[in-house]
Amino acid sequence: MLPYQILEEAETALGRNLTFAETIWFKYSSQKSDYFLYCHNTIFLFLFYTLVPLPYVFMELMQSKNIDKFEIQSKVKNSFPDMFRCYKTVMQTFVLAVGPLQLFSYPVIEWVGIRTGLPLPSGSEMFWQLLVYVVVEDYTNYWLHRLLHCEWGYEKIHRVHHEYTAPIGLAAPYAHWAEVLILGFASFLGPLMVPRHMITFWLWMILRQAKAIETHSGYDFPWTPTKYIPFYGGAKYHDYHHYVGGRSQSNFASVFTYCDYIYGTDKGYRYQKEVFGKLKEKLRSKGEENGDAYHIFAQDLKSK
């Protein structure tokens, strides 16, 4: 909670007028506890995984040829009951796993010093902090994800997430409750290492969830802004990991692909890219759908 009762007190303490953003923040947060502000992350989680995947749900149900041509695994279709079942399971996991985590993690957040007061961080400060969070999460998530693909980790925990061999946006957090906690640690590590303002923390969590939904969307749109981010994996990159399934030892990356490249866990995907174009042209010459090429190639990998 801010230590100021009125706006003028805050301006006197800072020795300047508040910016427009700081004024909004003061009016919103001045009478709210730090714990309540921290709990916004749970609210964002429920709202994001309810609202953001909806366009993908509508596209799946529409079955429009103009949209389906961008679907990575066009042979796989999900009904509304199937998708609602997925959503319901995800919400139950959030209640059972994320709720308790919220209670136990706040003392750590308070101890490391994530602040809620004034002044607010500048745009450049937030950018560099978020970049650190992304890199830390990406590297940690890579190894935790890879660990979950060992025999015990996969059979006991990670196989739940791989029930969707053709990912959909709603299934981004569809996982065993233990996996939610294990991979959640990777998301928290950056803010714990470089603690700054609660707004930066909020923004990081929002970006993290938006990224997860996009990479699990099942659609590869050529105009997606993330295609302009160097070394960004994206939906097609992660879709390969899901299709190959439990035996997959490739494409563990959370955001960027550099770990897979450095540690050689993208060889199958790179081989696919090398031969996929030729197979795609061959099928196209026979008048078959583009999606068949991916399906046939990945099925061939499964059988090896």
Side-chain angles (χ1 to χ4, degrees):
M1 185 177 294
L2 293 178
Y4 315 116
Q5 296 300 315
I6 59 176
L7 197 66
E8 287 72 19
E9 285 185 40
E11 291 179 333
T12 300
L14 293 178
R16 59 171 174 80
N17 294 331
L18 299 185
T19 65
F20 177 72
E22 287 172 338
T23 301
I24 294 176
W25 177 250
F26 177 87
K27 291 180 179 180
Y28 181 74
S29 66
S30 60
Q31 300 303 315
K32 295 178 175 63
S33 69
D34 288 355
Y35 179 70
F36 179 78
L37 294 173
Y38 173 63
C39 286
H40 281 52
N41 287 294
T42 304
I43 299 172
F44 296 150
L45 197 68
F46 280 88
L47 285 176
F48 254 70
Y49 282 115
T50 299
L51 301 177
V52 177
L54 286 180
Y56 297 113
V57 171
F58 294 143
M59 287 187 288
E60 182 81 6
L61 297 176
M62 285 171 59
Q63 297 189 14
S64 167
K65 289 185 178 180
N66 291 330
I67 296 176
D68 287 354
K69 66 183 180 181
F70 299 114
E71 194 170 8
I72 301 169
Q73 295 189 48
S74 60
K75 295 292 183 181
V76 181
K77 296 296 179 184
N78 295 280
S79 66
F80 179 78
D82 290 336
M83 290 187 282
F84 183 74
R85 179 187 64 83
C86 174
Y87 171 77
K88 185 171 67 173
T89 302
V90 166
M91 291 299 116
Q92 289 173 345
T93 304
F94 283 170
V95 170
L96 295 174
V98 179
L101 178 64
Q102 190 83 68
L103 292 173
F104 291 111
S105 62
Y106 177 69
V108 178
I109 295 296
E110 189 176 35
W111 176 69
V112 299
I114 294 180
R115 63 186 184 86
T116 60
L118 297 171
L120 295 183
S122 65
S124 61
E125 183 181 356
M126 285 194 293
F127 172 81
W128 290 112
Q129 288 164 6
L130 290 172
L131 184 61
V132 170
Y133 295 171
V134 169
V135 172
V136 170
E137 190 272 345
D138 195 59
Y139 189 81
T140 308
N141 184 283
Y142 171 86
W143 286 106
L144 291 175
H145 186 189
R146 191 169 173 178
L147 181 64
L148 288 172
H149 270 267
C150 71
E151 184 176 354
W152 186 92
Y154 186 84
E155 290 300 323
K156 299 296 184 182
I157 299 174
H158 194 49
R159 64 175 177 80
V160 176
H161 184 63
H162 275 272
E163 288 177 13
Y164 283 86
T165 56
I168 57 175
L170 286 169
Y174 181 88
H176 191 284
W177 65 267
E179 179 171 343
V180 174
L181 299 182
I182 291 169
L183 297 185
F185 171 75
S187 298
F188 274 90
L189 187 57
L192 294 179
M193 293 173 60
V194 189
R196 287 298 182 265
H197 201 278
M198 186 67 73
I199 287 182
T200 308
F201 187 66
W202 285 358
L203 184 56
W204 161 238
M205 289 299 169
I206 290 172
L207 290 174
R208 180 68 184 83
Q209 309 318 322
K211 191 280 308 177
I213 293 171
E214 191 267 331
T215 56
H216 287 84
S217 67
Y219 290 87
D220 183 41
F221 296 113
W223 55 79
T224 303
T226 52
K227 286 185 175 293
Y228 299 98
I229 301 176
F231 309 110
Y232 186 87
K236 198 167 185 177
Y237 188 87
H238 193 66
D239 191 277
Y240 173 85
H241 174 82
H242 270 264
Y243 192 93
V244 177
R247 295 182 62 184
S248 175
Q249 293 299 315
S250 183
N251 294 27
F252 295 112
S254 172
V255 181
F256 300 114
T257 61
Y258 70 93
C259 280
D260 280 315
Y261 181 80
I262 292 173
Y263 300 112
T265 48
D266 65 346
K267 292 179 180 179
Y269 180 72
R270 281 190 282 157
Y271 174 71
Q272 179 217 30
K273 288 184 68 176
E274 183 179 338
V275 302
F276 180 66
K278 296 177 182 179
L279 181 58
K280 187 175 179 182
E281 287 300 322
K282 183 178 179 181
L283 291 173
R284 184 178 296 170
S285 68
K286 294 180 179 180
E288 300 182 32
E289 294 293 329
N290 291 345
D292 289 343
Y294 183 86
H295 184 83
I296 293 171
F297 182 86
Q299 187 65 45
D300 179 63
L301 285 178
K302 270 188 168 182
S303 65
K304 292 182 179 180

